[in-house]
Amino acid sequence: MAGGATVESAASQRRGNLRAYGILLFISFYCAVPFLWVLVASFDAKPSQFLRWPEDVTFSNYSNLFVNESGMLWLLNSVVVIGIATIIVLVFAGLGGYALSRTRAWWKAPLLYAIILVRIVPPPALIVPVYKVMLTLNDGVNATINAVVSDPSQALFLSRIFSFVDGYLGLILVLAAMQLPLAIWIMKTFFDAIPVDYEEAAALDGASTLQTLRRILLPLALPGLAAAGLFAFISAWGDFLMPLMFTSSPELQTLPLGLFRAFLRIDRIDYGFLTALAVIYTLPAVIAFSFARKFLTRTFSGGVKG
Amino acid sequence: MSRIELEGVWKSFGDVEVIKGVDIVVEQGEFAVFVGPSGCGKSTLLRLVAGLESISKGEFRLGGKRMNEVSPDRRGIAMVFQSYALYPHMTVADNIGFALSLKKIPKPEIRKRVEEVAAILRMEDLLARKPVELSGGQRQRVAIGRAIVKRPQVILFDEPLSNLDAMLRVQMRAEIQRLHQEFGSTIIYVTHDQVEALTMAQKIVVLQGGAVAQIGAPMALYKKPENAFVAQFIGSPKMNLLPAQIERAGGDSCVARIGMQAISIPARAGFASGDEIRIGIRPEHIRVSKNGQSDLKSSVALIERLGSETYLHLEAEHEPVVVRIEGDMQADVGDEIGIVFDRVHCHYFNRSGSSVAA
Ligand SMILES: Nc1ncnc2c1ncn2[C@@H]1O[C@H](COP(=O)(O)OP(=O)(O)OP(=O)(O)O)[C@@H](O)[C@H]1O
Ligand SMILES: [Mg+2]
């Protein structure tokens, strides 16, 4: 009798599992449909608004994006701007997070909360003051460029790079500044968990500050840097507001702006073009994640006892 | 070259004074042990020598040269941390070789010296592992290897054996002493375990509340403690201290009163009638009276039988007294027992705890 009861409960358990998996599968599919549609439609010669297998599988949407339109320029702009911004974030968050973790100064806590406050204010609320500041700096930069360089084409080139408004530098700095607070917090918390003993041991082994940084702290901080860098990259990569505010020249256009403006074109809505652009826009984020994943899971232990 | 001198050294963290005017000399090649209860400032003192903390007042000299302002990486001192602090992302070989690699020594040379050290510490088969894959004792050995590979003039140990089991501790103790004989480095070894201090040290520095309680050779501290703290801290089980009052002083002997009982003790220059003193006597220097003649009457509170020896925990005039007896002894809890003090081994401490010399 007892055996029969177990068999029955096992069977009912299996039925329960089946139902649960069925529901989960449905939800997963529901969530995945938009992504699937984007991916499939980007290879469809005549894409529609519905998810269906393309009659003609084609790369024409991609060639259209890269050959006829300035897709390559947008992609490069995005990669360069976000890439440099992420590197800046990593350097400052690494050093700043370390300092904030190790200092015992009384202003430590107030400063930490002040830093995160930047992140609490919604970015649109910051647009006006930030734009004002950047505009003032921009006047200074351009005045300097015009004073130093006489050749107008050279001046234009320099201005494109170093301008605070409608220039690479401005966009990079604004994007980095937006991502820095969270990254500093991540790194500060991460360094809190690394005992100071390692640095002291390195000092007694004869390591200079620079050697300790490179050979001990950097390797130990890698998982933290990977996390902070990944968050910064993905968040900046998805940022639409800052490129919109701080760039206007077509030469500076980044991917999200390109996507947005292509969507707004009134003469036609080219789903193939839009979906190809969306796929290209998504890829770097996925690559960044798979790259960071290796470091994220690597944690160190066993160096200090108890 | 590596004589260590601490002169009037103070250390405070904010308002808290942790080291209060310490004078210590450790000779070149000497094995010195700093011992004291938890929180007395042993680690802090070691960190001052290593350069990990700055000295608030006073001077630290190494080989006659003032070192206060020299950064830790330039002092030529190695340290084995209380926490081991092995670099978790490096293999054992890289951990040991780290100091050498910083000095731009060629790789084959580093390999050779790492293997030498590994052979000395019997851990050749561990070199490829990461710290997380090691047992406590193995980590301990790696930490020591990392210290000795530089052939430093001075090695500091901060309670290195506190995490090991009793057997391994004895073994590692012998190993560290062997290393000392082999390399002749000056060693400062910190522990709160007085047995470790007595067995390993050439010189013991007893610390109490951030100050030196006494410095001396192990047997000197055992035989001639300068104060009640050292008397009780050194030796196991600890020395009995019985509060007493001098009743009659003068002549060759005087009478002291312990509770309701009187005991005759040798006269000391410092004694005067009415003085409150404490009489110190180690458990191994008390006998149980066999003939009814005794210094103190007591009752048995507890008996510990270890086979080779027996510890009688007695109570005399509401004071606990421990007596060590060779072999076994027939007695029951509650028995009345008379005890006799070996006067040669009695210590007398005045109210402030200082020993009153003969
Ligand atoms: N950075 C610090 N700030 C404030 N107080 C400290 C600091 N480091 C140590 N202390 C205090 O100094 C005293 C001595 O500490 P220390 O670590 O030297 O003790 P210890 O003798 O090594 O003890 P243990 O045997 O437990 O290791 C302690 O009371 C401790 O609280
Ligand atoms: Mg300590």
Side-chain angles (χ1 to χ4, degrees):
Chain A
M1 289 311 278
T6 352
V7 167
E8 199 167 273
S9 77
S12 79
Q13 195 179 12
R14 197 168 316 130
R15 244 192 329 270
N17 280 348
L18 226 62
R19 198 172 326 146
Y21 281 120
I23 293 172
L24 286 176
L25 208 69
F26 177 73
I27 295 175
S28 317
F29 183 72
Y30 182 77
C31 294
V33 161
F35 298 100
L36 281 176
W37 178 71
V38 166
L39 195 62
V40 171
S42 72
F43 291 104
D44 196 336
K46 284 199 270 319
S48 74
Q49 276 169 312
F50 306 101
L51 178 59
R52 52 155 198 159
W53 192 251
E55 283 158 17
D56 298 329
V57 175
T58 170
F59 288 96
S60 67
N61 293 324
Y62 289 93
S63 60
N64 184 27
L65 171 61
F66 285 116
V67 179
N68 304 336
E69 306 258 358
S70 326
M72 202 44 154
L73 177 72
W74 302 343
L75 179 64
L76 275 181
N77 277 344
S78 274
V79 167
V80 167
V81 166
I82 312 291
I84 296 178
T86 304
I87 291 169
I88 291 176
V89 167
L90 284 179
V91 169
F92 280 84
L95 297 174
Y98 174 73
L100 279 166
S101 164
R102 295 293 186 251
T103 183
R104 292 195 207 127
W106 62 268
W107 43 259
K108 175 175 173 162
L111 184 65
L112 273 167
Y113 287 109
I115 288 172
I116 206 69
L117 212 62
V118 176
R119 201 55 218 241
I120 289 169
V121 179
L126 288 171
I127 285 177
V128 177
V130 171
Y131 197 83
K132 187 82 193 79
V133 171
M134 298 295 276
L135 208 56
T136 313
L137 289 170
N138 194 44
D139 291 345
V141 167
N142 280 306
T144 316
I145 289 176
N146 288 330
V148 177
V149 185
S150 49
D151 182 359
S153 71
Q154 234 176 20
L156 186 70
F157 174 73
L158 286 177
S159 153
R160 184 124 293 156
I161 292 177
F162 290 110
S163 281
F164 278 82
V165 174
D166 204 24
Y168 284 105
L169 185 63
L171 187 56
I172 289 171
L173 289 183
V174 168
L175 283 171
M178 295 304 295
Q179 304 309 325
L180 200 49
L182 186 64
I184 287 182
W185 266 76
I186 292 175
M187 289 317 295
K188 184 257 172 197
T189 314
F190 195 83
F191 277 119
D192 281 349
I194 299 180
V196 72
D197 297 38
Y198 299 134
E199 295 151 58
E200 295 182 343
L204 283 166
D205 272 347
S208 64
T209 310
L210 214 65
Q211 285 170 320
T212 307
L213 186 71
R214 205 172 64 75
R215 309 262 315 253
I216 307 294
L217 282 172
L218 198 61
L220 289 180
L222 261 188
L225 286 171
L230 183 67
F231 279 126
F233 183 89
I234 287 181
S235 170
W237 187 259
D239 194 283
F240 174 73
L241 188 61
M242 295 303 149
L244 184 69
M245 287 307 304
F246 288 98
T247 56
S248 50
S249 313
E251 293 86 344
L252 290 172
Q253 184 145 288
T254 55
L255 274 175
L257 284 183
L259 185 58
F260 178 63
R261 294 202 171 118
F263 183 65
L264 285 190
R265 284 172 200 167
I266 37 170
D267 47 342
R268 63 198 160 104
I269 292 189
D270 183 345
Y271 284 119
F273 178 74
L274 285 173
T275 51
L277 190 49
V279 168
I280 294 300
Y281 185 35
T282 310
L283 267 182
V286 174
I287 292 170
F289 177 76
S290 53
F291 177 71
R293 203 180 53 120
K294 276 210 306 267
F295 301 101
L296 281 176
T297 51
R298 186 194 301 171
T299 50
F300 297 107
S301 58
V304 299
K305 68 182 174 190
Chain B
M1 281 297 97
S2 51
R3 179 184 149 104
I4 292 170
E5 294 163 279
L6 294 163
E7 197 178 288
V9 167
W10 290 73
K11 174 67 189 176
S12 39
F13 292 106
D15 298 338
V16 191
E17 285 170 348
V18 174
I19 303 293
K20 302 163 187 164
V22 161
D23 295 289
I24 298 170
V25 174
V26 180
E27 301 296 342
Q28 171 164 357
E30 195 168 38
F31 196 124
V33 172
F34 291 3
V35 65
S38 190
C40 70
K42 306 179 296 288
S43 294
T44 307
L45 204 51
L46 215 57
R47 292 167 62 81
L48 292 175
V49 171
L52 297 172
E53 303 279 359
S54 62
I55 294 174
S56 306
K57 209 167 77 187
E59 193 167 84
F60 161 46
R61 287 187 297 271
L62 181 60
K65 279 204 287 284
R66 182 183 159 93
M67 283 281 156
N68 290 40
E69 290 79 20
V70 179
S71 66
D73 53 314
R74 290 161 188 279
R75 291 192 183 190
I77 292 177
M79 179 161 168
V80 177
F81 284 75
Q82 199 163 0
S83 64
Y84 306 154
L86 303 181
Y87 310 124
H89 57 297
M90 296 184 193
T91 62
V92 167
D94 290 342
N95 261 284
I96 297 174
F98 182 67
L100 302 179
S101 73
L102 292 172
K103 289 194 214 155
K104 306 268 182 292
I105 293 174
K107 285 231 169 69
E109 163 84 8
I110 294 179
R111 256 243 321 272
K112 203 178 112 243
R113 280 176 64 179
V114 167
E115 275 164 8
E116 269 171 33
V117 167
I120 291 171
L121 293 168
R122 296 186 207 97
M123 52 177 193
E124 296 97 323
D125 48 337
L126 302 180
L127 286 177
R129 294 200 201 167
K130 292 269 177 72
V132 72
E133 300 159 336
L134 301 176
S135 74
Q138 291 168 333
R139 283 179 206 182
Q140 171 61 52
R141 291 217 287 275
V142 177
I144 293 176
R146 201 171 60 177
I148 62 175
V149 75
K150 296 180 282 183
R151 298 175 191 149
Q153 298 178 332
V154 178
I155 309 180
L156 312 175
F157 289 89
D158 192 353
E159 305 210 25
L161 309 185
S162 53
N163 266 33
L164 307 184
D165 66 42
M167 260 211 346
L168 202 53
R169 200 145 52 193
V170 172
Q171 193 185 329
M172 288 306 298
R173 240 188 250 161
E175 205 129 307
I176 290 173
Q177 281 178 296
R178 185 171 60 83
L179 286 174
H180 173 242
Q181 278 155 13
E182 222 161 284
F183 288 96
S185 313
T186 308
I187 288 181
I188 300 181
Y189 184 104
V190 160
T191 176
H192 60 256
D193 179 357
Q194 54 92 25
V195 176
E196 230 165 80
L198 286 173
T199 51
M200 298 177 87
Q202 292 171 327
K203 175 187 278 177
I204 296 180
V205 177
V206 183
L207 294 165
Q208 178 195 17
V212 172
Q214 190 174 348
I215 301 181
M219 282 310 113
L221 295 193
Y222 177 82
K223 286 179 182 148
K224 283 203 166 55
E226 282 168 9
N227 50 60
F229 176 78
V230 174
Q232 284 214 303
F233 196 80
I234 300 290
S236 171
K238 64 184 186 187
M239 184 186 282
N240 298 296
L241 282 185
L242 293 162
Q245 191 170 34
I246 304 284
E247 209 168 55
R248 233 169 345 95
D252 286 343
S253 69
C254 48
V255 175
R257 182 165 281 284
I258 301 172
M260 304 302 287
Q261 304 184 44
I263 175 172
S264 85
I265 58 174
R268 295 277 157 106
F271 288 164
S273 281
D275 277 0
E276 306 269 356
I277 63 163
R278 273 177 291 172
I279 301 174
I281 178 125
R282 296 193 185 278
E284 51 269 43
H285 299 140
I286 305 180
R287 277 185 298 116
V288 173
S289 163
K290 302 250 163 53
N291 54 11
Q293 289 237 323
S294 71
D295 290 323
L296 209 56
K297 291 188 172 48
S298 62
S299 63
V300 178
L302 178 74
I303 307 169
E304 284 181 288
R305 291 197 169 85
L306 304 179
S308 63
E309 56 195 9
T310 304
Y311 291 105
L312 291 178
H313 295 257
L314 309 173
E315 201 177 278
E317 301 294 327
H318 306 295
E319 293 293 331
V321 179
V322 179
V323 180
R324 176 181 176 277
I325 293 160
E326 293 279 345
D328 195 9
M329 181 186 153
Q330 286 314 310
D332 284 311
V333 171
D335 283 2
E336 296 291 320
I337 283 185
I339 50 176
V340 180
F341 296 166
D342 187 345
R343 291 296 191 284
V344 182
H345 294 295
C346 274
H347 304 268
Y348 308 97
F349 303 100
N350 63 21
R351 269 181 90 146
S352 62
S354 305
S355 175
V356 182

